[in-house]
Amino acid sequence: MIEKIDLNFTIWLSSFDVLESFFILLSSKHFSLFLVILFAIYMIRLERLKTFAFIFLATGFGDMTGNFLKKSLAQPRPCFEHSDYLISSGVIDQACGPPLTGMPSNHVLNYFIFTTLVIMIIKNRAISIFFIITSCLVGLSRIFLAKHLLSQVIIGGLIGVLLGIAFYLIYKAWNQRQTSQ
């Protein structure tokens, strides 16, 4: 049932083919690197380089967690498992791989852990809104490109938010310890 909803959502989203270049850009490593550099410059300007390093390292831990879960869960990507259906529906041109790296979406997990930490630590409304929108669009890009199912994106986002909250609590305790010394 969920898989059918996932596939139907993928096909529906892919009907917005005018967004293809935009979604490809959002899923690129270059876009992620650009955002990280811009945020680093912002944090340097605020003289909060340690905070930036913490957010960056927490996101790296989230990425490792996502990779561990991918190996443990070994859930297929839609562009591999459902390639015939997606090809015949005009969503993709060919099957993709690696086949068993679908759950969770690491792109989404990483964006949401980063976003959660930015929201909770930086507390800048404009930057928070920007990262929330960007994270959601990255999630949609993964579905549009048939790299992940809707459920894999939602789970990646939830794991990212939960890890972000956990790391915020660590950050808060670390800050309290620093100020009490």
Side-chain angles (χ1 to χ4, degrees), residues 6 23 43 63 93 98 106 119 122 162 168:
D6 280 342
F23 282 143
M43 294 300 284
D63 191 59
D93 296 329
N106 260 19
I119 290 168
I122 305 305
L162 292 174
Y168 173 72

Side-chain angles (χ1 to χ4, degrees), residues 105-118:
S105 168
N106 260 19
H107 274 81
V108 176
L109 188 154
N110 294 336
Y111 268 88
F112 272 93
I113 191 172
F114 191 88
T115 297
T116 301
L117 286 168
V118 166

